[in-house]
Amino acid sequence: MTGTPLGGFATANNTSLVSAAGAPCTNGLRWLPNTTMAAALFMLNSTTANSGSLNLNTFNCPTIANGSNATSSPILGNVNASFLNGNLSANCCMDVSADGQYMAITDTVYDGNALSSTLYVLSQEGAVLALAALGNTLPGSISISPVASAGTYYITVGGLDSTLRAFSFTANTVGALNSLGTVTTTGTPFVMAWHPSGLYLAVGTTTPSIKIYTFTGTSVPVLQSTFTGGSPALLTSVTALAWSPNGTYLTVVDGTNGLLLRVLSFTGSTPTLAQIGSTVTLAGHTINSGTNRVTWSPNSGFIAAVSGFVSPPFVLQVYSFNGTSTPVQVGTALTTGLSTPYSVSWSPNGSYLAVGNTDNNSMQLFTFSTTSTPTIAASGNPVFTNMGQLYEAVWSPNGNYLAAIDNSHSILQVYAFSGGTFTQVGGNASTSTSPVAVSWHPGGNYISVTCQTGGSGTIQTFSFNGYSTPTPIAVGTTLTNANPYAGAWSPSGNYFAVVNNGATTLQAFSWPYNTPNRIGTSLPTGTSPFSVAWSPNGNYLATAAETGTTGQLQAWSFSTTSTPTAAALGSAVTTGTSANAKAVAFAPNGNYLAVVNTTPTNTLQVYSFAAGTPVLVASVVSGLSTPYSVVWSPNGNYLAVVNEASNNLQVYSFSGTTLTLVGSVSTGASSNPVSVAWSPNGNYLAVINNTSNTLQVYSFSGSTPVQIGSVSTGASSNPSSVSWSPNGNYLAVVSPGLGTLQLQVYSFSGSTPVLLGTGTTTNSNPSSVAWSPNGSYLAVANQSSNNLTVYYFDGTDTPVLVSTITTGNFPLSVTWSPNGQFLAVVNANSATLQFFTAPIFQNGQPLLNQLGNTVSTANPVTSVAFSPNGSYIATAGSGIQLYSFNNAFSYLTTNTTAITLRGSAAATTAISRQVVWSPTNNYLATVLDNATLNVLSFNPSAPTTPSVVATANTMPLPTMCAWSPQGNAYGNNYIVTASPNNGGGRRLFYFDPFSSQNWYA
C-alpha cells in the first residue's frame, strides 16, 4: 500500500553528507526521547571525505493530529558546538540512548591508504565518555539497546565489511569504581590487606579475628577461613595487618594497646593461617588501628612498626624475620622525637622508611642498613606539611613520591623524593570529608583516598602526572558503606577493596582501562634495531642494532620528572665487525648488559653499565651458533642463550668478569629455538622453537637444564617470542604462522604448559610479546602491520584486546617499564625507538568492552538497530536480518554467544539504507535506495523472518528514517525520513496498523 508524506521539506543550511564511497551517511537521524524533536548528525564544511567537523542539529516537528496533514515543515533548531574535529570521513553513525542521556557515534579516518574507525560514547553536552577502536572496519550503522542492565548500556555496530559487534558501556562511572558487591564481616573491621597475588583479602576485626576471603574479580569476596588462635590467641581488636611481598606471611598486630606483633604463615590452597614462633611485644605506648602502622621490607626479610598514640614514647622499630622463627629486633627501638607516629612506609628499594606524625603534621625519613637501628636522614628532616592532622604517608610504587592525607582539613599532598629530601609537588588537592587512608594505584599515576564522609563513605580518585597537583577525576568519587576505615588497590590495579567499621562490611570494586598514548618523538637508533630492554629502576634503556657492517649497543636515559623524555647516553658501542646484535638484556641489579651477536661473529657479551657508555667486561667467542635470544636469571648469576643453528639451550654463569658454560641441552633436531625466558623464581626456562612449533620448559638447578614439558603451538605456527608472567603461573607466546589466534597464553604448574582458551588474534606478523609488571596486560609488537596491540588478561581465559596504536616501520621488540607506566618499542626498518604510555587510566576514560565474538553477516551492513526490549537486533543491507542478543556476561570476559542469527533474511526490492524498530517492538521500518519506505511486521514471541506489511514512496531518495517514540505528541505511529544528499529534506509519514490503507496522507 502507498501513501504521501505529511507537510513539506526542511533544509539544513549549508550542510551536506559525503562518504569515501560517495554515499550519504546512513545512520545519523534519531528522534529525541519524550520530545517533538528529531536529531541529525552532520558533517559541516565538508565537500570531500576526511575533512570538516561533526555537529548535532535538532529539528522541531510541527504539531499535528493523527491522520491529518501538517500545515508547516519541520523547523531547524539550534546547532550545538562541534564535539569532534579533525580528519573525519562522513561514514559517521549516531544513536541516542532510550533515556536521552548518551549518544553513541562512529568516526572514520582515511589517510589515503587505510581506514581507522572509532566508536565513541558522548554525554548530552558532547563530552567523550568512552571509546573503542574498530580498526579498519567501515561502520554502516550503530544502535544503543533501549534496555540498560544495572546502568550498563549495550551498543551494536554493523560494518560494511559484513560484521556485527556488540559493546558494553557503564553509565555514570567514568573514572569511578564499579561495585562488585558487599559482604558482612561479622565483627567490626578496622584493617584490611590485599595478598600480593590479588586472589585473597585479609580483614582484621574486633571479635578479635582475621578473616581470609578469596576474590575472583567477578563477584563479592567469599569467606574461606577465620583465624583466632596463636601463641597466645588473639587478645583484642586486630589493629594492623600487612602481607609480606612474597605472599607467604601475614604480620598481625593486636593485644592490649595494640602492642603484640606476630607473624602467620599462609597456605593459599586451603587457605589457612598458622603462627610462626612466638608473639613479640612492641615498644611504645599504643598502636592505633590503621592500614600502615606496620609494613614489610620489599625483600620480605624485615618488618617495621610505629607506636605511640597520643602519649610517648613515640617509637619506630624494625624486626628481622627468617621465615621459620620469631622475629628478632634489629638494633634498638628508635624514638622519633616527634608526636604520634601514625604511619610507616618502606621505599620500594628497601633503603628508606618514611614516618608520618599526625599531631605535629610532619614526615620523617630514616635510612636502614639491614644490620642496625634505622638512622634519621640528615637532609630535609623533618618535613612539616602544613596539615591539620597528617594521617598517612605512603610511597609511590616507583619510590619517587610520597602521598600524604590531612584528616582534619581534607587535603591530599604529594611530595617528590630525591637525594634524601622531600619537595611538595604542586599544591594541596581537596578531598572529600575526613580522609583516613591513601593508596597508590600500582601504575603510579592514580591515587585513591578513602574518606569518612557523613553517614556514608567515599573513595575519591585523583590522577597524578608527576609534576603538578593531583587532579580529581571527573565522576571519580564512589560511595561506600558507613564509616570506611581502610581502602587499597589490588596488586594488579584492576580492583579496589574497602572495609567499613560503621557498617561492618567489606566491599570490592572494579576499575576500567584505556588506550596507550605516544610520548614525544621517535628517536633514531642504529640501523635495524632488533631488541630493547628497560633497566630495573626504569631510568634507562638499552637497544641492540645491526648498523650496517657492525653491531651496535646503545644506552638511553628516560626521565619522568616532567613530560617523559628520553636521550642517548654516552656513545654507541660497537659489538664487533660484521656483528649482528640480535638481543639485549639488563641484569636484575641494573649494572650489566648482556648482548648476543648472530652469524658471522656468534658471540655472547656482557658490558658493565653506570649511566654512561657501556664497557665490555666478559665475552664468549666460541661454542655459539646463531645465538638468537639471551636472558638473565632473576638472581643475576646466570645467562641463558638459545642458538638457532645448533638447536640448543646454553646456560652460562657470570662472576662479574668471567662467563663460564655450566650446561647445554639440545632443543631437538631442526627445532630452531629463537626465544628464551626465565621464570621469576629462577627454577625454570621456557624456550620457543620456530621450526618444530613447540614451547618447551626446562628445570634449572645450577647445571645442565632438564626438559620437563613440551607442547605444540600449532602446525606451521612458527612461534617467535615467549614471555613469563610476573607470578610465574603463565606463559605467553606469539606465533605469526597461525594466521589467526596468534597470541596464546599457557598455564604452568611445574610440568607441561596447558593452553588457556582459544588464543587471540593479533595484527600482522607478531614478533615480540611482553607481560606488564602487574600481570594484567600483554603487549605485542606486530612487525608487518606496524602497530602495537595491548591485551587484558584476567588469569582464567583468552586475553582480550583493549587497544591498538601505530608504531614505526617494522617493530621487532617491545618492553614494559618496571613500574608498568610506559612501553618502549624499536622499529627495524625506520631505525627508531618509541615510547608509549601504558593502557592504565588515561584521563579517567575507559575503553568500551566488546561482548562476544564478531559475527559475520554474509553481506555488508548499512544499518543496525536494537529492539525496544533489548532482546533482538535487526540489520539492513541487501535484506532485513534478525538476531537475538544475550547480554549475560562477566566483567571484561568474552561471551562468545552474545549475538545469534534468527530465521532468514527478509528480501527487499533494493538496498536498505536504515532499519528502525517501532516502540511497540513488533514492527520495523526501513528506507530503500529506490525511494521506498517499508514497514515489516515481527512477532517477538516467535522470532523468525519479518514480513513487509506497508510501502510508501518517499521521493527524493531517503537515506535515514526514525520512528517517533511512544508518549510524545505523536503517539508511536509516525515515521520521519531524511534525504541529506538532496538539500537535507525531511518527510513525515503516519502508519496505521489497523487500517487496510496503512498510510494517511
Side-chain angles (χ1 to χ4, degrees), residues 61-379:
C61 296
T63 302
I64 54 176
N66 287 354
S68 301
N69 282 326
T71 57
S72 62
S73 300
I75 301 168
L76 179 64
N78 293 329
V79 178
N80 295 337
S82 299
F83 48 82
L84 292 175
N85 295 282
N87 183 25
L88 307 170
S89 89
N91 281 85
C92 306
C93 308
M94 176 190 72
D95 196 14
V96 181
S97 63
D99 55 14
Q101 298 299 306
Y102 305 99
M103 289 178 287
I105 291 174
T106 63
D107 162 36
T108 301
V109 176
Y110 179 63
D111 63 6
N113 296 308
L115 294 170
S116 177
S117 297
T118 306
L119 167 63
Y120 296 94
V121 175
L122 299 97
S123 67
Q124 287 177 314
E125 295 77 23
V128 176
L129 303 178
L131 61 140
L134 300 176
N136 59 4
T137 295
L138 187 61
S141 187
I142 190 172
S143 178
I144 303 180
S145 171
V147 178
S149 175
T152 298
Y153 294 73
Y154 305 105
I155 304 166
T156 55
V157 177
L160 299 183
D161 58 349
S162 303
T163 58
L164 182 63
R165 283 184 272 189
F167 297 84
S168 67
F169 165 69
T170 302
N172 297 321
T173 55
V174 177
L177 297 157
N178 306 317
S179 177
L180 293 174
T182 301
V183 59
T184 301
T185 57
T186 313
T188 302
F190 277 99
V191 288
M192 174 215 69
W194 282 95
H195 187 269
S197 68
L199 301 176
Y200 307 98
L201 281 157
V203 176
T205 72
T206 57
T207 43
S209 67
I210 301 166
K211 299 179 182 296
I212 301 295
Y213 295 82
T214 55
F215 181 70
T216 64
T218 58
S219 60
V220 297
V222 177
L223 180 64
Q224 296 294 324
S225 63
T226 300
F227 177 85
T228 59
S231 178
L234 296 177
L235 300 179
T236 62
S237 298
V238 176
T239 55
L241 287 175
W243 290 98
S244 62
N246 62 14
T248 307
Y249 309 104
L250 181 68
T251 296
V252 181
V253 176
D254 71 300
T256 304
N257 293 329
L259 289 177
L260 296 182
L261 180 145
R262 62 189 85 202
V263 178
L264 310 179
S265 64
F266 176 69
T267 304
S269 58
T270 312
T272 55
L273 297 169
Q275 185 164 338
I276 297 175
S278 302
T279 300
V280 173
T281 300
L282 299 171
H285 181 265
T286 300
I287 290 184
N288 194 42
S289 299
T291 303
N292 294 303
R293 311 310 187 248
V294 62
T295 181
W296 285 84
S297 64
N299 66 359
S300 299
F302 300 92
I303 304 163
V306 287
S307 58
F309 179 64
V310 181
S311 301
F314 306 120
V315 174
L316 166 65
Q317 48 213 301
V318 176
Y319 291 80
S320 65
F321 178 67
N322 62 11
T324 60
S325 56
T326 305
V328 177
Q329 187 165 3
V330 178
T332 59
L334 174 68
T335 301
T336 64
L338 294 174
S339 179
T340 314
Y342 218 62
S343 69
V344 59
S345 182
W346 222 305
S347 67
N349 65 7
S351 300
Y352 299 98
L353 286 157
V355 174
N357 304 287
T358 185
D359 277 5
N360 63 4
N361 310 304
S362 64
M363 290 191 301
Q364 291 174 288
L365 182 70
F366 298 85
T367 59
F368 179 66
S369 65
T370 74
T371 59
S372 59
T373 305
T375 304
I376 192 163
S379 58

Side-chain angles (χ1 to χ4, degrees), residues 9 31 72 84 94 101 108 167 175 192 298 386 398 403 465 534 621 673 675 724 739 770 808 847 866 919:
F9 294 86
W31 284 86
S72 62
L84 292 175
M94 176 190 72
Q101 298 299 306
T108 301
F167 297 84
M192 174 215 69
N386 297 316
N398 61 8
N465 59 17
W534 221 301
V621 296
S675 180
W724 220 301
L847 286 174
F866 266 105

Side-chain angles (χ1 to χ4, degrees), residues 705-955:
V706 177
Q707 185 175 323
I708 60 173
S710 180
V711 62
S712 172
T713 57
S716 302
S717 58
N718 305 125
S720 58
S721 178
V722 61
S723 179
W724 220 301
S725 68
N727 63 8
N729 294 334
Y730 305 99
L731 286 154
V733 176
V734 288
S735 303
L738 287 177
T740 59
L741 309 180
Q742 301 104 316
L743 171 60
Q744 299 171 317
V745 173
Y746 296 80
S747 63
F748 177 73
S749 58
S751 57
T752 302
V754 177
L755 179 65
L756 289 177
T758 58
T760 300
T761 299
T762 68
N763 283 330
S764 182
N765 203 8
S767 54
S768 175
V769 61
W771 222 299
S772 68
N774 66 10
S776 296
Y777 296 92
L778 286 155
V780 176
N782 303 283
Q783 64 187 37
S784 295
S785 54
N786 299 324
N787 56 26
L788 176 68
T789 47
V790 181
Y791 302 81
Y792 170 76
F793 177 67
D794 66 1
T796 63
D797 205 346
T798 304
V800 178
L801 177 68
V802 295
S803 53
T804 301
I805 192 165
T806 300
T807 64
N809 196 349
F810 216 68
L812 285 183
S813 180
V814 59
T815 180
W816 293 82
S817 65
N819 62 11
Q821 293 185 31
F822 306 101
L823 286 156
V825 176
V826 286
N827 307 287
N829 289 356
S830 57
T832 54
L833 168 65
Q834 293 177 306
F835 297 92
F836 303 88
T837 57
I840 305 175
F841 315 119
Q842 295 300 323
N843 303 320
Q845 294 177 5
L847 286 174
L848 300 173
N849 305 315
Q850 181 167 353
L851 305 178
N853 297 329
T854 300
V855 175
S856 175
T857 57
N859 294 300
V861 175
T862 58
S863 182
V864 61
F866 266 105
S867 64
N869 62 8
S871 299
Y872 301 101
I873 300 168
T875 62
S878 58
I880 306 297
Q881 182 68 68
L882 288 176
Y883 299 83
S884 60
F885 177 68
N886 174 20
N887 62 17
F889 70 99
S890 298
Y891 187 75
L892 277 178
T893 300
T894 299
N895 174 6
T896 57
T897 58
I899 303 172
T900 305
L901 180 66
R902 295 290 183 183
S904 57
T908 55
T909 56
I911 296 296
S912 174
R913 291 300 180 186
Q914 187 172 13
V915 61
V916 294
W917 289 85
S918 70
T920 56
N921 212 65
N922 54 356
Y923 292 100
L924 290 155
T926 182
V927 286
L928 312 179
D929 62 4
N930 62 356
T932 301
L933 169 64
N934 282 350
V935 173
L936 300 88
S937 64
F938 168 71
N939 183 359
S941 61
T944 56
T945 306
S947 57
V948 177
V949 295
T951 300
N953 185 286
T954 63
M955 286 300 291

